[in-house]
Every structure is written in C-alpha cells, then in structure tokens.
Amino acid sequence: MTSPLDIIIMAAGRGTRMKSRLPKVLQRLAGRPLLHHVLDQAAQLAPRRVVVVTGHGATEVEAACADWTRAGAGFDLKTARQEPQLGTGHAVQQALPALAGDGTVLVLSGDVPLTRADTLAALLAAARPERLALLSVSLPDPTGYGRIVRGAGDAVQRIVEHKDASDAQRAITEIYSGIMAVPARWLAPWLARLSNGNAQGEYYLTDIVAQAVQEGVAVVAHRIQDALQVEGVNSPAQLAQLERAHQQRQAQALMEQGVRLLDPARFDLRQDARSGTRGELVCGQDVEIDVGCIFMGRVEVGAGARIGAYCHIANARIEAGAVIHPYTHIDGEAAGVQVGAGALVGPFARLRPGTQLGRDVHIGNFVEVKNAQLADGAKANHLAYLGDASVGARVNYGAGSITANYDGAHKHRTVIEADVHVGSNCVLVAPLTLGAGGTVAGGSTITKDTPAGALSVARGRQVSITNWKRPSKTPPQSQP
Ligand code: UD1
Ligand code: CA
C-alpha cells in the first residue's frame, strides 16, 4: 500500500528579474499562468491535497488558486502564507500545518512549468516507501544552482547552494532541480532543525539532505536528461525560451496526430486569457496549417481544411475542406464562430463572435462579419460589413456594402432572403428585410423592406445635360 500524496507548491518568491508588477508565478506561458501549469502537473498525479505557499503578491496568487478551483480542479487546494520569506525550508514549514502526517510530500516550484507528470511519478516511486528522492539533472553551465554532492559509491551526501560552494563543489555539474519527494513525518523535525547560517541568511530546504544522510535515511537522486523539464522562469528571456519549447512540444504532438504544420517552430496555441479557455486544437485528417498562425481557446478544424499563413483564430469551428486564406482574423470570443464545409475565407477577412457561415460561403478581403448567419453558397467578396444579419442561400453581397445595424442606441437586424443580389456600395438601414430573389441597385441607401423579386433603387436619379460647357478662365483685361 502506498502512502497518500500531498503536494506543496512554493510560490512566495518575488521574481525581481522579471521587472514586472505581476507576481512571477502569474506570468503567462502559452496564455496560461505559470502556476496553473504547475497545478496541471499536480492534477495528473491525483494528489490528496495541494498547498500553495504564497507571499509576494499573495492576494493575486490566492485569487489565481481560486480560479483554478472554480474551473473544477478535482483535488483539495489550500494556500498558506509565508510572511516574511525566509527561504525554501521556511516556505515548506508554513505549508506543513495544512497537511496530515501520513503522506508522501512532493515539493514543486510555482515557476517551473514544463515538468512532465511521468517524471514526477518516477520521482515518487523512488521516494516510496521510505526515501528522500531528489530530482536532478546535469547542466553544462550549473551556475546559480544547488549542487548534488556525492560521496563514496556515488551516494548522495548533501546539496550545497552555489553561493556557499567551494571551487571544487562548483565544478559539479549535477544540480538539484528544486523538486523533491519525502515522507511527511520526517519533514517537521528536519525543518525545525534548519539554521540560516549560510551565504544568503536563509533557511534552505536543501539542508534536509545532509540531515537525512546523518540519520541513515536513504537519499536518492533521480537524474533526468531533459533539462527543460526543470528549468525555472526568472527573466523575460527565460520565459520566452520556455514558451517556444512548450509550443514546439504542442506542435510535435499535433504532427504525431497527422496534422501538417509547415513549420513547427512558427506555431502557437494558447489559452484564451480573457475567458481562461484552455488552448486546444482539434484537427481532422489532412489538415494543413501554414506558418505564423496563432490559435487561442478551443479551435476545431475539420478534415482537409487548410489554414493560410499568419491567421489568428480563436474559439472557432472550421468545417471540412474549408480554406482560410492568409492574414485572416477569426475570434469567436464566447459566442463562437463557425465556418461551413468548403467555405473560402480571406485573405484579410475578419470574423467576429456569432458568425455562422454555411457550406461553400465565400468571405473575401476586408470583409467584416459579426453576429450574422450566412446560408449555403452566400458570397461577400470585397470590402463589406455584415452585422446582426441573416443572409439567405446564394445571396451575392456587393463590394463596399454595409448593414447599418446601430442607430446610436440599439442594434437592429437585417434579413436578406435567399438569392438576393445586393449591388456595390449599398447602405442597408436596419431593421430591414430584403425579399427573396430581389436586386438592390448599386449605391442605394435602403430604409424600407423590399418585395421579393423586385429591383430596388434608392439613390439620386442620373441626369445628363447635353452640350454642357465647362467654365473657362476669362482672359485678363488689357489696359487701355
Ligand atoms: C533553489 C534551490 C537550489 C536549486 C534551485 C533550482 C534552495 C535553498 N535552493 O534555489 O538548490 O538548484 O532552486 O531552481 O532551495 N520561495 C518561497 N519562499 C521563499 C523562498 C523561495 O516560496 O522564502 C519559492 C520561490 O518563489 C520559488 C522557489 O521557492 O518558486 C525557489 O526559490 P528560489 O529563490 O528561486 O530558489 P533558488 O535560489 O533558485
Ligand atoms: Ca529559482
């Protein structure tokens, strides 16, 4: 029988090098706060309880924990304040009262977002039933990290922090990742005995290793190869580096499912920071995505659909065989956007919330659509606006035409029935219904409903004056 798992996430540090007002653990990676990435890892291990240690920006960090709980965390999440911040050993000490003594404790850092759950599971296996297990990795440049000091037979002796290390110790390349697993009942007595007589005047969690060795407790270092998994975020440059690594991982996973990414290094899938909807891209067979596209929230792309270069697509469903040409902006926000099978959109099109395009709809360059439904085969190919509108099948909507849907106070709907032809540069003043099969002459401002099948013209009548003489300059008067 294995002991229950409890997790402590240290998240009280300042993160000075980010030079940001936001607490470090709330900086975003792929649109998601770092702390939420760490909570994701925790969730995969099905812990009994998780305690987040807060300090700097405690109220904001606690609010982020509450957001997580609201989203349905599936485990018991508590926070513990650490004030002032006297070091990592002191941080863990603040969390202990919230934990039962019979568990195995996994210590994580809120600023290390890319650790894999299977790595943590292996670390836990190494700690059970009665060992202290450290996650370690060898780095070409170990500067700044705690070093794993090994003795006879390679047995771990202690961890020495960089600032306290001798030159010989600084030459050690195996470093402590900041992640450990340990039976809970040992922690309280060990932490109580820590001293802060070191270079930083802090209570180091890492000093418990030497205590364990002294008491004859087995200490193991579970060494992994992939340094990325233990890399923390300390600066904007590191955050950007981890962002790219994370995006490459997501790109890799999609390619393994058969998605064709023209360049996995130029692919981004992010959480929608506005709603907190996770970044999720669900693709059918033979989907092709060109370079520089950014996906946000949940996006579905049907079989054989193609997404051109530099599109920004959020909260949308694109059905099979649709083609989104380059530089198209699609943002469904909460209402969503749906693009029907075989539709052609863009380049430079903008689809806003509540847009629903039927099969084979064409939306061309510089066309904006908002809260409008276009039935199968409808076309708006150039420079147009359709807002709060129902557009029937096969409607042709001319260049430069707009729905005037807003009277300054209220929005009104425009209904364009099937097979209507709207000429260029028309203003359709809502509320309005254009009867099926009718034609609206170019340049018309339509304010009244039009009958089915009629030609409607609403513009100044053309007048031509024959033999019209343009004014000419009168020659200057000659002086007498
Ligand atoms: C720590 C380890 C070091 C390891 C490195 C890996 C110690 C003493 N050292 O060093 O061996 O190689 O991580 O990245 O543990 N925190 C608190 N309260 C505090 C201090 C820190 O909550 O009082 C939190 C920080 O917010 C951060 C984590 O603990 O999430 C690590 O703290 P940090 O100051 O970054 O430790 P390092 O000096 O990097
Ligand atoms: Ca650190």
Side-chain angles (χ1 to χ4, degrees), residues 335-397:
V337 164
Q338 194 175 324
V339 175
L344 305 180
V345 180
F348 299 103
R350 180 172 185 211
L351 305 184
R352 295 173 52 200
T355 296
Q356 286 176 1
L357 309 182
R359 295 181 78 88
D360 301 315
V361 164
H362 292 185
I363 298 294
N365 43 218
F366 307 108
V367 174
E368 175 183 352
V369 185
K370 187 217 74 177
N371 187 28
Q373 296 76 49
L374 280 71
D376 297 354
K379 293 185 173 69
N381 270 325
H382 328 268
L383 301 162
Y385 175 59
L386 278 161
D388 302 307
S390 302
V391 179
R394 297 170 302 278
V395 162
N396 198 311
Y397 193 76

Side-chain angles (χ1 to χ4, degrees), residues 55-78:
H56 277 287
T59 31
E60 285 163 273
V61 176
E62 283 156 11
C65 290
D67 286 347
W68 169 271
T69 309
R70 258 195 301 283
F75 56 73
D76 176 27
L77 179 59
K78 294 260 179 302

Side-chain angles (χ1 to χ4, degrees), residues 197-227:
N198 52 51
Q200 301 184 77
E202 287 181 6
Y203 295 93
Y204 293 160
L205 176 61
T206 44
D207 282 350
I208 69 171
V209 174
Q211 292 192 45
V213 170
Q214 214 164 43
E215 291 182 12
V217 170
V219 180
V220 290
H222 176 70
R223 198 195 306 207
I224 58 167
Q225 300 301 318
D226 179 10

Side-chain angles (χ1 to χ4, degrees), residues 10-14 24-25 53 82 84-91 108-112 144-147 159-161 175-178 200 202-206 230 232 234:
M10 299 186 292
R14 185 197 288 277
K24 181 165 75 172
V25 297
V53 181
Q82 185 200 16
Q85 292 80 40
L86 301 178
T88 51
H90 181 249
L108 301 175
S109 289
D111 61 352
V112 180
Y145 289 95
R147 307 300 206 283
I159 295 174
V160 59
E161 290 303 309
I175 63 104
Y176 168 56
S177 64
Q200 301 184 77
E202 287 181 6
Y203 295 93
Y204 293 160
L205 176 61
T206 44
V230 299
N234 297 300

Side-chain angles (χ1 to χ4, degrees), residues 179-460:
I179 296 171
M180 68 166 70
V182 54
R185 62 192 176 81
W186 293 336
L187 271 176
W190 286 347
L191 293 173
R193 267 182 264 142
L194 290 180
S195 92
N196 64 352
N198 52 51
Q200 301 184 77
E202 287 181 6
Y203 295 93
Y204 293 160
L205 176 61
T206 44
D207 282 350
I208 69 171
V209 174
Q211 292 192 45
V213 170
Q214 214 164 43
E215 291 182 12
V217 170
V219 180
V220 290
H222 176 70
R223 198 195 306 207
I224 58 167
Q225 300 301 318
D226 179 10
L228 208 58
Q229 287 195 47
V230 299
E231 229 153 280
V233 171
N234 297 300
S235 65
Q238 268 176 334
L239 182 59
Q241 196 188 344
L242 291 192
E243 172 79 28
R244 201 46 29 217
H246 175 70
Q247 294 298 348
Q248 296 250 28
R249 266 192 193 176
Q250 298 193 128
Q252 201 63 38
L254 285 164
M255 291 191 295
E256 275 158 24
Q257 291 160 29
V259 179
R260 240 90 76 215
L261 296 178
L262 272 83
D263 183 359
R266 284 178 287 171
F267 168 82
D268 288 86
L269 169 60
R270 303 178 186 151
Q271 169 169 312
D272 185 339
R274 300 163 301 186
S275 64
T277 310
R278 281 164 185 272
E280 193 183 358
L281 180 58
V282 181
C283 293
Q285 206 168 26
D286 293 312
V287 165
E288 193 179 292
I289 298 172
D290 210 333
V291 303
C293 291
I294 298 173
F295 297 89
M296 262 170 49
R298 184 181 162 86
V299 177
E300 284 175 57
V301 184
R306 283 186 287 138
I307 315 288
Y310 303 107
C311 290
H312 186 292
I313 303 180
N315 311 307
R317 191 164 103 215
I318 292 156
E319 289 176 355
V323 179
I324 312 297
H325 289 294
Y327 303 103
T328 292
H329 189 278
I330 298 177
D331 188 354
E333 293 178 27
V337 164
Q338 194 175 324
V339 175
L344 305 180
V345 180
F348 299 103
R350 180 172 185 211
L351 305 184
R352 295 173 52 200
T355 296
Q356 286 176 1
L357 309 182
R359 295 181 78 88
D360 301 315
V361 164
H362 292 185
I363 298 294
N365 43 218
F366 307 108
V367 174
E368 175 183 352
V369 185
K370 187 217 74 177
N371 187 28
Q373 296 76 49
L374 280 71
D376 297 354
K379 293 185 173 69
N381 270 325
H382 328 268
L383 301 162
Y385 175 59
L386 278 161
D388 302 307
S390 302
V391 179
R394 297 170 302 278
V395 162
N396 198 311
Y397 193 76
S401 291
I402 65 148
T403 54
N405 56 324
Y406 185 54
D407 61 14
H410 302 101
K411 301 222 169 114
H412 302 282
R413 282 197 79 76
T414 302
V415 177
I416 307 176
E417 292 179 352
D419 299 299
V420 165
H421 187 111
V422 177
S424 296
N425 246 23
C426 294
V427 178
L428 307 179
V429 182
L432 191 66
T433 297
L434 306 183
T439 301
V440 176
S444 294
T445 295
I446 302 290
T447 56
K448 296 189 292 263
D449 292 355
T450 62
L455 167 67
S456 303
V457 189
R459 64 182 183 220

Side-chain angles (χ1 to χ4, degrees), residues 5-11 32 35-36 38-40 42-43 47-54 60-80 95 98-99 108:
L5 171 65
D6 294 314
I7 296 178
I8 297 173
I9 300 176
M10 299 186 292
R32 190 163 174 76
L35 179 61
H36 285 186
V38 179
L39 288 166
D40 290 343
R48 174 173 64 178
R49 174 168 285 184
V50 175
V51 182
V52 176
V53 181
T54 65
E60 285 163 273
V61 176
E62 283 156 11
C65 290
D67 286 347
W68 169 271
T69 309
R70 258 195 301 283
F75 56 73
D76 176 27
L77 179 59
K78 294 260 179 302
T79 58
L99 296 179
L108 301 175

